[in-house]
Amino acid sequence: MKTRNFLYLLIFALNSCQSGSNKNTAIQREITYNQKDKEILEQVFLLFASEKHIPAGDLMIKVGTFFLETPYVGQTLEIEPEQLVVNLRELDCTTFAESVLAISRTLKSENPSFEHFAGELQKIRYRNGTIDGYPSRIHYFSDWIFENNKKNVVKDVSKDLANTPYPLNINFMSTHTKSYKQLKDSLLIPVMAAQEKEISSRTMYFIPTEKIKEIENQLQDGDIAGITTKIEGLDISHVVLLFRKEGKIRVLHASSTAMKVVQSDETLEEYLQNSKMATGIMVARPL
């Protein structure tokens, strides 16, 4: 029974981290949000309005620390039909990173607004920035890095840092269909399998845990790190922001263990070493 419960918790976390309806006539999208989300966004805009010209990574950490103590809640994006979900009241590891990145990019724009933020979030979260059903959302984080590198939203610096190929054999979603309510539609399964095959065909790179100390001084505040994993069929099991404290890189993330957004007391190297399933990181640098 303990093993079964652990598996259920694992799949719930992976589901969450892979990750009122209103029409915006300027951008033509369906958006789900709460009035409190707008209030939080306005608060962030006011707080950091004078810091729009600082480096992108530094702004990422300032915005990220604003969300400390925000509750961890998984599966907030699982709304049918597929639409843009804005939820700044409850975050999982991926929605935390996406929201912080979208807010930071919006702050650097000429006229920060909810509409601009929604456009940035959609661009980041969806393949080609277009919502076209469940498969259009980017579900695997190595794919997220690949797609957002193409859009010049982030730069994949993993190869530059360690030049270590990361073998991809992606099939988790198509082989765990009962864990994803949208995949009850059997017509979507071959679509997801085709995406997994394409992702698996790519040559991508990572920084193994044993090389973290060697390249640590090249990591920067605000780098987005995907924690690579031994879990079969999966590429990345968790997403964190990196920041430097007392000369050491640490993590800022929405933690399913702490059930809130936290900063780690341990270093990145210690964090990886203390995880039985982690093998290293892939790194995306905000542009």
Side-chain angles (χ1 to χ4, degrees), residues 60-127:
M60 288 275 293
I61 296 304
K62 285 181 178 290
V63 173
T65 53
F66 172 88
F67 288 98
L68 285 172
E69 303 297 316
T70 298
Y72 177 101
V73 178
Q75 300 184 338
T76 59
L77 306 186
E78 308 314 316
I79 292 175
E80 297 180 87
E82 186 73 22
Q83 56 197 276
L84 184 67
V85 174
V86 173
N87 188 341
L88 301 177
R89 298 157 286 114
E90 306 163 320
L91 299 165
D92 64 36
C93 66
T94 302
T95 61
F96 171 63
E98 288 180 335
S99 297
V100 170
L101 180 58
I103 291 171
S104 299
R105 289 175 61 83
T106 303
L107 279 164
K108 286 184 166 291
S109 68
E110 290 300 318
N111 296 297
S113 65
F114 179 83
E115 290 73 20
H116 190 110
F117 164 74
E120 291 288 352
L121 189 61
Q122 180 170 318
K123 178 179 181 179
I124 290 165
R125 183 173 290 164
Y126 287 90
R127 188 164 284 99

Side-chain angles (χ1 to χ4, degrees), residues 47-261:
L47 190 60
F48 299 115
S50 64
E51 309 210 45
K52 64 186 299 179
H53 299 300
I54 67 175
D58 293 345
L59 186 56
M60 288 275 293
I61 296 304
K62 285 181 178 290
V63 173
T65 53
F66 172 88
F67 288 98
L68 285 172
E69 303 297 316
T70 298
Y72 177 101
V73 178
Q75 300 184 338
T76 59
L77 306 186
E78 308 314 316
I79 292 175
E80 297 180 87
E82 186 73 22
Q83 56 197 276
L84 184 67
V85 174
V86 173
N87 188 341
L88 301 177
R89 298 157 286 114
E90 306 163 320
L91 299 165
D92 64 36
C93 66
T94 302
T95 61
F96 171 63
E98 288 180 335
S99 297
V100 170
L101 180 58
I103 291 171
S104 299
R105 289 175 61 83
T106 303
L107 279 164
K108 286 184 166 291
S109 68
E110 290 300 318
N111 296 297
S113 65
F114 179 83
E115 290 73 20
H116 190 110
F117 164 74
E120 291 288 352
L121 189 61
Q122 180 170 318
K123 178 179 181 179
I124 290 165
R125 183 173 290 164
Y126 287 90
R127 188 164 284 99
N128 301 316
T130 301
I131 301 176
D132 184 18
Y134 183 68
S136 66
R137 195 194 323 160
I138 305 171
H139 297 281
Y140 290 97
F141 205 73
S142 67
D143 193 30
W144 187 99
I145 293 174
F146 178 83
E147 290 290 333
N148 281 294
N149 183 82
K150 285 198 306 183
K151 298 170 195 167
N152 292 317
V153 171
V154 299
K155 180 181 180 183
D156 183 355
V157 296
S158 305
K159 183 178 181 180
D160 296 339
L161 291 172
N163 197 28
T164 305
Y166 182 44
L168 293 169
N169 184 20
I170 308 300
N171 61 22
F172 193 90
M173 293 182 71
S174 64
T175 57
H176 294 78
T177 56
K178 292 182 180 179
S179 302
Y180 301 89
K181 67 176 184 178
Q182 288 87 342
L183 296 185
K184 66 188 176 186
D185 179 355
S186 60
L187 294 177
L188 293 182
I189 298 173
V191 178
M192 299 306 303
Q195 288 185 2
E196 292 168 339
K197 184 177 180 180
E198 180 186 349
I199 297 168
S200 299
S201 71
R202 298 172 187 155
T203 300
M204 297 193 75
Y205 297 82
F206 81 126
I207 300 92
T209 299
E210 59 271 19
K211 289 189 177 182
I212 294 296
K213 185 177 292 186
E214 178 184 331
I215 60 89
E216 186 176 23
N217 65 342
Q218 299 179 64
L219 296 171
Q220 298 180 9
D221 281 358
D223 281 350
I224 303 166
I227 308 299
T228 56
T229 181
K230 296 176 184 176
I231 298 170
E232 186 175 353
L234 198 63
D235 51 355
I236 285 167
S237 60
H238 192 48
V239 181
V240 304
L241 303 184
L242 304 182
F243 71 99
R244 193 175 302 276
K245 181 181 179 181
E246 298 173 349
K248 292 289 186 179
I249 292 292
R250 302 170 194 271
V251 303
L252 169 63
H253 62 137
S255 167
S256 60
T257 302
M259 293 303 293
K260 59 185 177 181
V261 176

Side-chain angles (χ1 to χ4, degrees), residues 263-283:
Q263 291 177 331
S264 69
D265 293 324
E266 57 196 352
T267 66
L268 171 64
E269 184 180 31
E270 291 167 341
Y271 178 85
L272 294 172
Q273 289 172 341
N274 290 336
S275 170
K276 292 181 180 179
M277 302 307 293
T279 60
I281 57 174
M282 299 179 76
V283 181

Side-chain angles (χ1 to χ4, degrees), residues 39-53:
E39 294 171 6
I40 292 170
L41 193 62
E42 287 300 325
Q43 189 178 353
V44 177
F45 287 165
L46 286 172
L47 190 60
F48 299 115
S50 64
E51 309 210 45
K52 64 186 299 179
H53 299 300

